[in-house]
CSV table of all heavy atoms in Angstrom, one decimal:
chain,number,residue,atom,x,y,z
G,1167,MET,N,-95.6,126.1,42.1
G,1167,MET,CA,-94.9,127.0,43.2
G,1167,MET,C,-93.3,126.8,43.0
G,1167,MET,O,-93.0,125.6,43.0
G,1167,MET,CB,-95.5,126.5,44.6
G,1167,MET,CG,-94.9,127.3,45.8
G,1167,MET,SD,-95.5,128.9,46.0
G,1167,MET,CE,-94.1,129.6,46.8
G,1168,ALA,N,-92.6,127.8,43.0
G,1168,ALA,CA,-91.3,127.7,42.9
G,1168,ALA,C,-90.6,127.2,44.2
G,1168,ALA,O,-91.2,127.4,45.3
G,1168,ALA,CB,-90.6,129.1,42.7
G,1169,LYS,N,-89.5,126.5,44.0
G,1169,LYS,CA,-88.8,125.9,45.2
G,1169,LYS,C,-87.4,126.7,45.5
G,1169,LYS,O,-86.7,127.0,44.4
G,1169,LYS,CB,-88.5,124.5,44.9
G,1169,LYS,CG,-88.0,123.7,45.8
G,1169,LYS,CD,-88.0,122.2,45.4
G,1169,LYS,CE,-87.2,121.4,46.4
G,1169,LYS,NZ,-86.4,120.5,45.6
G,1170,VAL,N,-87.2,127.1,46.6
G,1170,VAL,CA,-85.9,127.9,46.9
G,1170,VAL,C,-84.7,126.9,47.0
G,1170,VAL,O,-84.9,125.8,47.7
G,1170,VAL,CB,-86.1,128.5,48.4
G,1170,VAL,CG1,-84.9,129.4,48.6
G,1170,VAL,CG2,-87.3,129.5,48.3
G,1171,VAL,N,-83.6,127.2,46.3
G,1171,VAL,CA,-82.5,126.4,46.3
G,1171,VAL,C,-81.3,127.2,46.5
G,1171,VAL,O,-81.1,128.4,46.0
G,1171,VAL,CB,-82.4,125.7,44.9
G,1171,VAL,CG1,-81.1,124.9,44.9
G,1171,VAL,CG2,-83.6,124.9,44.6
G,1172,ILE,N,-80.4,126.8,47.4
G,1172,ILE,CA,-79.1,127.3,47.6
G,1172,ILE,C,-77.9,126.5,46.9
G,1172,ILE,O,-77.9,125.3,47.1
G,1172,ILE,CB,-78.7,127.5,49.0
G,1172,ILE,CG1,-79.7,128.5,49.8
G,1172,ILE,CG2,-77.2,127.8,49.2
G,1172,ILE,CD1,-79.3,128.5,51.2
G,1173,ASP,N,-77.2,127.2,46.1
G,1173,ASP,CA,-76.0,126.4,45.5
G,1173,ASP,C,-74.8,126.4,46.6
G,1173,ASP,O,-74.2,127.3,46.9
G,1173,ASP,CB,-75.5,127.3,44.3
G,1173,ASP,CG,-74.4,126.4,43.5
G,1173,ASP,OD1,-73.8,125.5,44.3
G,1173,ASP,OD2,-74.0,126.8,42.5
G,1174,ALA,N,-74.8,125.2,47.2
G,1174,ALA,CA,-73.9,125.0,48.4
G,1174,ALA,C,-72.5,125.2,47.9
G,1174,ALA,O,-71.6,125.5,48.7
G,1174,ALA,CB,-74.1,123.7,48.9
G,1175,ASP,N,-72.1,124.9,46.6
G,1175,ASP,CA,-70.7,125.3,46.2
G,1175,ASP,C,-70.3,126.7,46.2
G,1175,ASP,O,-69.1,127.1,46.4
G,1175,ASP,CB,-70.5,124.7,44.8
G,1175,ASP,CG,-70.6,123.2,44.7
G,1175,ASP,OD1,-70.4,122.6,45.8
G,1175,ASP,OD2,-71.1,122.6,43.7
G,1176,GLU,N,-71.4,127.6,46.0
G,1176,GLU,CA,-71.1,129.0,45.9
G,1176,GLU,C,-71.2,129.7,47.4
G,1176,GLU,O,-70.6,130.7,47.7
G,1176,GLU,CB,-72.0,129.7,45.0
G,1176,GLU,CG,-71.8,129.2,43.6
G,1176,GLU,CD,-70.4,129.7,42.9
G,1176,GLU,OE1,-70.1,130.6,43.3
G,1176,GLU,OE2,-69.9,128.9,42.2
G,1177,CYS,N,-72.1,129.1,48.2
G,1177,CYS,CA,-72.5,129.9,49.6
G,1177,CYS,C,-71.2,129.9,50.4
G,1177,CYS,O,-70.4,129.1,50.5
G,1177,CYS,CB,-73.5,129.0,50.2
G,1177,CYS,SG,-73.9,129.6,52.0
G,1178,THR,N,-71.0,131.2,51.0
G,1178,THR,CA,-69.8,131.4,51.6
G,1178,THR,C,-70.3,131.5,53.2
G,1178,THR,O,-69.3,131.7,54.0
G,1178,THR,CB,-69.3,132.9,51.5
G,1178,THR,OG1,-70.4,133.9,51.7
G,1178,THR,CG2,-68.9,133.1,50.0
G,1179,GLY,N,-71.4,131.2,53.5
G,1179,GLY,CA,-71.8,131.1,55.0
G,1179,GLY,C,-71.9,132.4,55.6
G,1179,GLY,O,-71.7,132.6,56.9
G,1180,CYS,N,-72.2,133.6,54.9
G,1180,CYS,CA,-72.3,134.9,55.4
G,1180,CYS,C,-73.5,135.2,56.3
G,1180,CYS,O,-73.5,136.0,57.0
G,1180,CYS,CB,-72.2,135.9,54.3
G,1180,CYS,SG,-73.8,136.0,53.4
G,1181,GLU,N,-74.5,134.3,56.2
G,1181,GLU,CA,-75.7,134.4,57.0
G,1181,GLU,C,-76.6,135.5,56.6
G,1181,GLU,O,-77.6,135.9,57.4
G,1181,GLU,CB,-75.4,134.3,58.5
G,1181,GLU,CG,-74.8,133.1,59.0
G,1181,GLU,CD,-74.8,133.0,60.5
G,1181,GLU,OE1,-75.7,132.9,61.2
G,1181,GLU,OE2,-73.6,133.0,61.0
G,1182,SER,N,-76.4,136.2,55.6
G,1182,SER,CA,-77.3,137.3,55.2
G,1182,SER,C,-78.7,136.9,54.9
G,1182,SER,O,-79.7,137.5,55.6
G,1182,SER,CB,-76.9,137.9,53.9
G,1182,SER,OG,-76.2,139.0,54.0
G,1183,CYS,N,-78.8,135.7,54.4
G,1183,CYS,CA,-80.1,135.2,54.0
G,1183,CYS,C,-80.9,134.7,55.3
G,1183,CYS,O,-82.1,135.1,55.5
G,1183,CYS,CB,-80.2,134.0,53.1
G,1183,CYS,SG,-79.0,132.6,53.7
G,1184,VAL,N,-80.2,134.3,56.2
G,1184,VAL,CA,-80.8,133.8,57.6
G,1184,VAL,C,-81.2,135.0,58.3
G,1184,VAL,O,-82.3,135.0,58.9
G,1184,VAL,CB,-79.7,132.9,58.3
G,1184,VAL,CG1,-80.2,132.5,59.6
G,1184,VAL,CG2,-79.0,131.8,57.6
G,1185,GLU,N,-80.5,136.1,58.3
G,1185,GLU,CA,-80.9,137.2,59.0
G,1185,GLU,C,-82.1,137.8,58.4
G,1185,GLU,O,-83.0,138.3,59.2
G,1185,GLU,CB,-79.7,138.3,58.9
G,1185,GLU,CG,-78.7,138.1,60.0
G,1185,GLU,CD,-77.4,139.0,59.8
G,1185,GLU,OE1,-77.5,140.1,59.4
G,1185,GLU,OE2,-76.4,138.5,60.1
G,1186,VAL,N,-82.2,138.0,57.1
G,1186,VAL,CA,-83.3,138.6,56.5
G,1186,VAL,C,-84.6,137.6,56.3
G,1186,VAL,O,-85.7,138.2,56.3
G,1186,VAL,CB,-83.1,139.4,55.1
G,1186,VAL,CG1,-82.0,140.4,55.3
G,1186,VAL,CG2,-82.6,138.4,54.2
G,1187,CYS,N,-84.3,136.4,56.4
G,1187,CYS,CA,-85.4,135.5,56.1
G,1187,CYS,C,-85.3,134.3,56.9
G,1187,CYS,O,-85.2,133.2,56.3
G,1187,CYS,CB,-85.7,135.2,54.7
G,1187,CYS,SG,-87.2,134.7,54.3
G,1188,PRO,N,-85.4,134.3,58.3
G,1188,PRO,CA,-85.2,133.1,59.1
G,1188,PRO,C,-86.3,132.0,58.9
G,1188,PRO,O,-86.1,130.9,59.4
G,1188,PRO,CB,-85.1,133.7,60.5
G,1188,PRO,CG,-85.8,135.1,60.4
G,1188,PRO,CD,-85.5,135.6,59.0
G,1189,GLU,N,-87.4,132.5,58.4
G,1189,GLU,CA,-88.6,131.5,58.1
G,1189,GLU,C,-88.1,130.5,57.0
G,1189,GLU,O,-88.6,129.3,57.1
G,1189,GLU,CB,-89.8,132.2,57.6
G,1189,GLU,CG,-90.5,133.1,58.6
G,1189,GLU,CD,-90.1,134.6,58.4
G,1189,GLU,OE1,-88.9,134.8,57.9
G,1189,GLU,OE2,-90.8,135.5,58.6
G,1190,VAL,N,-87.2,130.9,56.2
G,1190,VAL,CA,-86.8,129.9,55.1
G,1190,VAL,C,-85.5,129.5,55.1
G,1190,VAL,O,-85.2,128.4,54.7
G,1190,VAL,CB,-87.1,130.8,53.7
G,1190,VAL,CG1,-86.6,129.8,52.7
G,1190,VAL,CG2,-88.7,131.0,53.6
G,1191,PHE,N,-84.5,130.2,55.7
G,1191,PHE,CA,-83.0,129.9,55.8
G,1191,PHE,C,-82.6,129.7,57.1
G,1191,PHE,O,-82.9,130.4,58.0
G,1191,PHE,CB,-82.2,130.9,55.0
G,1191,PHE,CG,-82.7,131.2,53.5
G,1191,PHE,CD1,-83.6,132.3,53.3
G,1191,PHE,CD2,-82.2,130.6,52.6
G,1191,PHE,CE1,-84.1,132.6,52.1
G,1191,PHE,CE2,-82.6,130.7,51.3
G,1191,PHE,CZ,-83.5,131.7,51.0
G,1192,ALA,N,-81.7,128.7,57.2
G,1192,ALA,CA,-81.0,128.5,58.5
G,1192,ALA,C,-79.5,128.2,58.3
G,1192,ALA,O,-79.1,128.1,57.2
G,1192,ALA,CB,-81.7,127.3,59.2
G,1193,PHE,N,-78.8,128.4,59.4
G,1193,PHE,CA,-77.2,128.2,59.3
G,1193,PHE,C,-76.9,127.0,59.8
G,1193,PHE,O,-77.2,126.5,61.0
G,1193,PHE,CB,-76.6,129.3,60.0
G,1193,PHE,CG,-75.1,129.3,59.8
G,1193,PHE,CD1,-74.5,129.6,58.7
G,1193,PHE,CD2,-74.2,128.9,60.9
G,1193,PHE,CE1,-73.1,129.6,58.5
G,1193,PHE,CE2,-73.0,128.9,60.8
G,1193,PHE,CZ,-72.4,129.3,59.5
G,1194,ASP,N,-76.3,126.1,59.1
G,1194,ASP,CA,-75.8,124.7,59.5
G,1194,ASP,C,-74.4,124.9,60.1
G,1194,ASP,O,-73.5,125.2,59.5
G,1194,ASP,CB,-75.7,123.7,58.4
G,1194,ASP,CG,-75.4,122.4,58.8
G,1194,ASP,OD1,-74.6,122.3,59.7
G,1194,ASP,OD2,-75.8,121.5,58.1
G,1195,GLU,N,-74.3,124.7,61.4
G,1195,GLU,CA,-73.1,125.0,62.3
G,1195,GLU,C,-71.9,123.9,61.8
G,1195,GLU,O,-70.7,124.1,61.9
G,1195,GLU,CB,-73.3,124.7,63.7
G,1195,GLU,CG,-74.4,125.7,64.3
G,1195,GLU,CD,-73.8,127.2,64.5
G,1195,GLU,OE1,-72.6,127.3,64.3
G,1195,GLU,OE2,-74.7,128.0,64.7
G,1196,GLU,N,-72.4,122.7,61.4
G,1196,GLU,CA,-71.5,121.7,60.9
G,1196,GLU,C,-70.8,122.1,59.7
G,1196,GLU,O,-69.5,122.0,59.4
G,1196,GLU,CB,-72.0,120.4,61.0
G,1196,GLU,CG,-72.1,119.7,62.2
G,1196,GLU,CD,-72.7,118.2,62.2
G,1196,GLU,OE1,-72.6,117.5,61.2
G,1196,GLU,OE2,-73.3,117.9,63.2
G,1197,THR,N,-71.6,122.4,58.6
G,1197,THR,CA,-71.0,122.6,57.3
G,1197,THR,C,-70.6,124.2,57.2
G,1197,THR,O,-69.9,124.5,56.4
G,1197,THR,CB,-72.1,122.6,56.3
G,1197,THR,OG1,-73.1,123.3,56.3
G,1197,THR,CG2,-72.4,121.0,56.1
G,1198,GLU,N,-71.1,125.0,58.2
G,1198,GLU,CA,-70.9,126.4,58.2
G,1198,GLU,C,-71.4,127.1,56.9
G,1198,GLU,O,-70.8,128.0,56.4
G,1198,GLU,CB,-69.4,126.8,58.4
G,1198,GLU,CG,-69.0,126.3,59.9
G,1198,GLU,CD,-67.6,126.8,60.3
G,1198,GLU,OE1,-66.8,127.1,59.3
G,1198,GLU,OE2,-67.4,127.1,61.4
G,1199,LEU,N,-72.6,126.5,56.4
G,1199,LEU,CA,-73.2,127.1,55.2
G,1199,LEU,C,-74.7,127.2,55.6
G,1199,LEU,O,-75.3,126.6,56.5
G,1199,LEU,CB,-73.1,126.1,54.1
G,1199,LEU,CG,-71.5,125.9,53.6
G,1199,LEU,CD1,-71.7,124.8,52.6
G,1199,LEU,CD2,-71.0,127.1,53.1
G,1200,ALA,N,-75.3,128.1,54.8
G,1200,ALA,CA,-76.7,128.2,54.8
G,1200,ALA,C,-77.4,127.1,54.2
G,1200,ALA,O,-77.0,126.4,53.3
G,1200,ALA,CB,-77.2,129.4,54.3
G,1201,TYR,N,-78.7,126.7,54.7
G,1201,TYR,CA,-79.4,125.8,54.0
G,1201,TYR,C,-81.0,126.2,54.1
G,1201,TYR,O,-81.3,127.0,54.8
G,1201,TYR,CB,-79.3,124.3,54.5
G,1201,TYR,CG,-79.7,124.0,56.0
G,1201,TYR,CD1,-81.0,123.4,56.3
G,1201,TYR,CD2,-79.1,124.6,57.1
G,1201,TYR,CE1,-81.4,123.3,57.5
G,1201,TYR,CE2,-79.4,124.3,58.4
G,1201,TYR,CZ,-80.6,123.7,58.6
G,1201,TYR,OH,-81.1,123.5,59.9
G,1202,VAL,N,-81.7,125.5,53.3
G,1202,VAL,CA,-83.2,125.9,53.2
G,1202,VAL,C,-83.9,125.0,54.1
G,1202,VAL,O,-84.0,123.8,54.0
G,1202,VAL,CB,-83.6,125.7,51.7
G,1202,VAL,CG1,-85.2,126.2,51.6
G,1202,VAL,CG2,-82.8,126.6,50.8
G,1203,ILE,N,-84.7,125.6,55.0
G,1203,ILE,CA,-85.6,124.9,55.9
G,1203,ILE,C,-87.1,124.8,55.4
G,1203,ILE,O,-87.8,123.9,55.7
G,1203,ILE,CB,-85.6,125.4,57.4
G,1203,ILE,CG1,-85.8,126.8,57.4
G,1203,ILE,CG2,-84.3,125.0,58.1
G,1203,ILE,CD1,-86.0,127.5,58.8
G,1204,LYS,N,-87.4,125.7,54.5
G,1204,LYS,CA,-88.8,125.9,53.9
G,1204,LYS,C,-88.6,126.1,52.5
G,1204,LYS,O,-88.9,127.3,52.1
G,1204,LYS,CB,-89.5,126.8,54.8
G,1204,LYS,CG,-91.1,126.8,54.5
G,1204,LYS,CD,-91.7,127.7,55.5
G,1204,LYS,CE,-93.1,128.0,55.3
G,1204,LYS,NZ,-94.1,126.8,55.2
G,1205,PRO,N,-88.4,125.1,51.7
G,1205,PRO,CA,-88.3,125.3,50.3
G,1205,PRO,C,-89.5,125.8,49.5
G,1205,PRO,O,-89.4,126.6,48.5
G,1205,PRO,CB,-87.8,124.0,49.7
G,1205,PRO,CG,-87.8,123.0,50.8
G,1205,PRO,CD,-88.3,123.8,52.0
G,1206,GLU,N,-90.7,125.5,50.1
G,1206,GLU,CA,-91.9,125.9,49.3
G,1206,GLU,C,-92.9,126.5,50.4
G,1206,GLU,O,-93.1,126.1,51.6
G,1206,GLU,CB,-92.5,124.7,48.7
G,1206,GLU,CG,-91.8,124.4,47.5
G,1206,GLU,CD,-92.3,123.0,46.9
G,1206,GLU,OE1,-93.2,123.0,46.0
G,1206,GLU,OE2,-91.8,122.0,47.4
G,1207,GLY,N,-93.5,127.7,49.9
G,1207,GLY,CA,-94.6,128.3,50.7
G,1207,GLY,C,-94.1,129.3,51.7
G,1207,GLY,O,-94.9,129.8,52.5
G,1208,GLY,N,-92.8,129.6,51.6
G,1208,GLY,CA,-92.5,130.6,52.6
G,1208,GLY,C,-92.8,132.0,52.1
G,1208,GLY,O,-93.3,132.1,51.0
G,1209,PRO,N,-92.6,133.0,52.9
G,1209,PRO,CA,-93.0,134.3,52.6
G,1209,PRO,C,-92.2,134.9,51.4
G,1209,PRO,O,-91.0,135.1,51.4
G,1209,PRO,CB,-92.9,135.2,53.8
G,1209,PRO,CG,-91.9,134.4,54.7
G,1209,PRO,CD,-92.1,132.9,54.3
G,1210,GLU,N,-92.9,135.3,50.2
G,1210,GLU,CA,-92.2,135.7,49.1
G,1210,GLU,C,-91.3,136.9,49.2
G,1210,GLU,O,-90.2,137.0,48.7
G,1210,GLU,CB,-93.1,135.9,47.8
G,1210,GLU,CG,-93.6,134.4,47.4
G,1210,GLU,CD,-94.7,134.5,46.3
G,1210,GLU,OE1,-94.7,135.5,45.6
G,1210,GLU,OE2,-95.5,133.6,46.2
G,1211,ASP,N,-91.8,137.8,50.0
G,1211,ASP,CA,-91.1,139.1,50.2
G,1211,ASP,C,-89.8,138.9,50.8
G,1211,ASP,O,-88.8,139.3,50.4
G,1211,ASP,CB,-91.9,140.1,51.2
G,1211,ASP,CG,-93.1,140.6,50.4
G,1211,ASP,OD1,-93.3,140.3,49.4
G,1211,ASP,OD2,-93.8,141.5,51.1
G,1212,CYS,N,-89.7,138.0,51.8
G,1212,CYS,CA,-88.4,137.9,52.5
G,1212,CYS,C,-87.6,136.9,51.6
G,1212,CYS,O,-86.2,137.1,51.7
G,1212,CYS,CB,-88.6,137.5,53.9
G,1212,CYS,SG,-88.7,135.9,54.5
G,1213,ILE,N,-88.1,136.0,50.8
G,1213,ILE,CA,-87.3,135.2,49.9
G,1213,ILE,C,-86.5,136.1,48.9
G,1213,ILE,O,-85.3,136.0,48.8
G,1213,ILE,CB,-88.1,134.2,49.2
G,1213,ILE,CG1,-88.6,133.2,50.3
G,1213,ILE,CG2,-87.3,133.5,48.1
G,1213,ILE,CD1,-89.6,132.2,49.8
G,1214,GLU,N,-87.3,137.1,48.3
G,1214,GLU,CA,-86.8,138.1,47.3
G,1214,GLU,C,-85.6,138.9,48.0
G,1214,GLU,O,-84.6,139.2,47.4
G,1214,GLU,CB,-87.9,139.0,46.8
G,1214,GLU,CG,-88.8,138.2,45.8
G,1214,GLU,CD,-88.1,137.8,44.7
G,1214,GLU,OE1,-87.1,138.4,44.3
G,1214,GLU,OE2,-88.6,136.7,44.0
G,1215,GLU,N,-86.0,139.3,49.2
G,1215,GLU,CA,-85.0,140.0,50.0
G,1215,GLU,C,-83.7,139.3,50.3
G,1215,GLU,O,-82.5,139.9,50.2
G,1215,GLU,CB,-85.5,140.5,51.4
G,1215,GLU,CG,-85.3,141.9,51.9
G,1215,GLU,CD,-85.9,142.2,53.1
G,1215,GLU,OE1,-87.2,142.0,53.3
G,1215,GLU,OE2,-85.2,142.6,54.1
G,1216,ALA,N,-83.8,138.0,50.6
G,1216,ALA,CA,-82.7,137.1,50.8
G,1216,ALA,C,-81.9,137.0,49.5
G,1216,ALA,O,-80.6,137.0,49.5
G,1216,ALA,CB,-83.1,135.8,51.3
G,1217,ILE,N,-82.6,136.9,48.3
G,1217,ILE,CA,-81.9,136.6,47.0
G,1217,ILE,C,-81.1,137.9,46.8
G,1217,ILE,O,-80.0,137.8,46.5
G,1217,ILE,CB,-83.0,136.4,45.9
G,1217,ILE,CG1,-83.5,134.9,46.1
G,1217,ILE,CG2,-82.3,136.6,44.6
G,1217,ILE,CD1,-84.7,134.6,45.2
G,1218,ASP,N,-81.7,139.0,47.0
G,1218,ASP,CA,-81.0,140.3,46.8
G,1218,ASP,C,-79.8,140.5,47.7
G,1218,ASP,O,-78.8,141.2,47.4
G,1218,ASP,CB,-82.0,141.5,46.9
G,1218,ASP,CG,-83.0,141.5,45.8
G,1218,ASP,OD1,-82.9,140.8,44.8
G,1218,ASP,OD2,-84.0,142.1,45.9
G,1219,SER,N,-80.0,140.1,49.0
G,1219,SER,CA,-78.9,140.3,49.9
G,1219,SER,C,-77.6,139.2,49.8
G,1219,SER,O,-76.7,139.5,50.4
G,1219,SER,CB,-79.5,140.0,51.3
G,1219,SER,OG,-79.5,138.7,51.8
G,1220,CYS,N,-77.9,138.2,49.0
G,1220,CYS,CA,-76.7,137.2,48.9
G,1220,CYS,C,-75.6,137.8,48.0
G,1220,CYS,O,-75.7,138.1,46.9
G,1220,CYS,CB,-77.1,135.9,48.3
G,1220,CYS,SG,-76.0,134.7,48.1
G,1221,PRO,N,-74.5,137.9,48.7
G,1221,PRO,CA,-73.3,138.5,47.9
G,1221,PRO,C,-72.7,137.7,46.7
G,1221,PRO,O,-72.1,138.3,45.9
G,1221,PRO,CB,-72.2,138.7,49.0
G,1221,PRO,CG,-72.7,137.7,50.1
G,1221,PRO,CD,-74.1,137.6,50.0
G,1222,VAL,N,-73.0,136.5,46.9
G,1222,VAL,CA,-72.5,135.6,45.8
G,1222,VAL,C,-73.6,135.2,44.7
G,1222,VAL,O,-73.5,134.3,43.9
G,1222,VAL,CB,-71.7,134.4,46.2
G,1222,VAL,CG1,-70.4,134.9,46.8
G,1222,VAL,CG2,-72.5,133.6,47.3
G,1223,GLU,N,-74.9,135.5,45.0
G,1223,GLU,CA,-76.0,135.3,44.2
G,1223,GLU,C,-76.2,133.8,44.0
G,1223,GLU,O,-76.5,133.3,42.9
G,1223,GLU,CB,-75.9,136.0,42.9
G,1223,GLU,CG,-75.9,137.6,43.0
G,1223,GLU,CD,-75.9,138.3,41.6
G,1223,GLU,OE1,-75.8,137.6,40.7
G,1223,GLU,OE2,-75.9,139.5,41.6
G,1224,CYS,N,-76.2,133.0,45.1
G,1224,CYS,CA,-76.2,131.6,45.0
G,1224,CYS,C,-77.6,131.1,45.4
G,1224,CYS,O,-77.9,129.8,45.5
G,1224,CYS,CB,-75.1,130.9,45.7
G,1224,CYS,SG,-75.2,131.0,47.4
G,1225,ILE,N,-78.5,131.9,45.7
G,1225,ILE,CA,-80.0,131.6,45.9
G,1225,ILE,C,-80.8,131.7,44.7
G,1225,ILE,O,-80.7,132.8,44.0
G,1225,ILE,CB,-80.6,132.4,47.1
G,1225,ILE,CG1,-79.8,132.4,48.3
G,1225,ILE,CG2,-82.0,131.8,47.4
G,1225,ILE,CD1,-80.1,133.4,49.4
G,1226,SER,N,-81.6,130.7,44.4
G,1226,SER,CA,-82.4,130.7,43.2
G,1226,SER,C,-83.8,130.1,43.4
G,1226,SER,O,-84.0,129.3,44.4
G,1226,SER,CB,-81.8,130.1,42.0
G,1226,SER,OG,-81.4,128.9,42.3
G,1227,LEU,N,-84.7,130.4,42.6
G,1227,LEU,CA,-85.9,129.8,42.6
G,1227,LEU,C,-86.1,128.9,41.5
G,1227,LEU,O,-85.9,129.3,40.3
G,1227,LEU,CB,-87.2,130.9,42.6
G,1227,LEU,CG,-87.3,131.6,43.8
G,1227,LEU,CD1,-88.1,132.8,43.4
G,1227,LEU,CD2,-87.8,130.9,45.0
G,1228,GLU,N,-86.4,127.6,41.7
G,1228,GLU,CA,-86.7,126.6,40.6
G,1228,GLU,C,-88.0,126.3,40.5
G,1228,GLU,O,-88.8,126.0,41.4
G,1228,GLU,CB,-85.7,125.4,40.8
G,1228,GLU,CG,-84.2,125.7,40.7
G,1228,GLU,CD,-83.4,124.5,41.0
G,1228,GLU,OE1,-84.0,123.4,41.2
G,1228,GLU,OE2,-82.2,124.6,40.9
G,1229,ASP,N,-88.5,126.0,39.3
G,1229,ASP,CA,-90.0,125.6,39.1
G,1229,ASP,C,-90.2,124.2,39.2
G,1229,ASP,O,-89.1,123.4,39.1
G,1229,ASP,CB,-90.3,126.0,37.6
G,1229,ASP,CG,-90.7,127.6,37.6
G,1229,ASP,OD1,-91.0,128.1,38.5
G,1229,ASP,OD2,-90.4,128.1,36.5
Z,651,SF4,S1,-76.6,135.0,51.7
Z,651,SF4,FE1,-75.9,133.5,50.1
Z,651,SF4,S2,-73.7,133.3,50.7
Z,651,SF4,FE2,-74.7,134.2,52.5
Z,651,SF4,S3,-75.3,132.4,53.6
Z,651,SF4,FE3,-77.0,132.9,52.4
Z,651,SF4,S4,-76.8,131.6,50.6
Z,651,SF4,FE4,-74.8,131.6,51.6
């Protein structure tokens, strides 16, 4: 099962991923960046949607 990863160096904190897939992504008010709350077993459709919605393409799936 692939694991969802955000490259925090690239993330701009735009919250797109959080909007389209709140089951998997959340916004950290302290860092003002998104982070992964459910790296494995989340709904694949919305993970793909989040990957597509990320303006800096910093969300990836790792084996
Ligand atoms: S969509 Fe990408 S840049 Fe925007 S908050 Fe999510 S991971 Fe960060």
Side-chain angles (χ1 to χ4, degrees):
M1167 179 75 202
K1169 194 172 159 215
V1170 182
V1171 178
I1172 292 176
D1173 182 346
D1175 292 335
E1176 298 293 327
C1177 175
T1178 62
C1180 74
E1181 291 191 71
S1182 263
C1183 56
V1184 183
E1185 277 171 32
V1186 299
C1187 197
E1189 294 97 326
V1190 174
F1191 302 93
F1193 186 71
D1194 185 330
E1195 302 286 346
E1196 273 180 32
T1197 61
E1198 299 190 326
L1199 298 174
Y1201 66 102
V1202 180
I1203 48 175
K1204 191 171 168 58
E1206 286 172 89
E1210 284 175 27
D1211 285 2
C1212 88
I1213 293 168
E1214 287 298 332
E1215 217 178 309
I1217 290 171
D1218 291 344
S1219 80
C1220 180
V1222 293
E1223 297 182 1
C1224 70
I1225 306 170
S1226 58
L1227 290 171
E1228 288 182 3
D1229 288 328

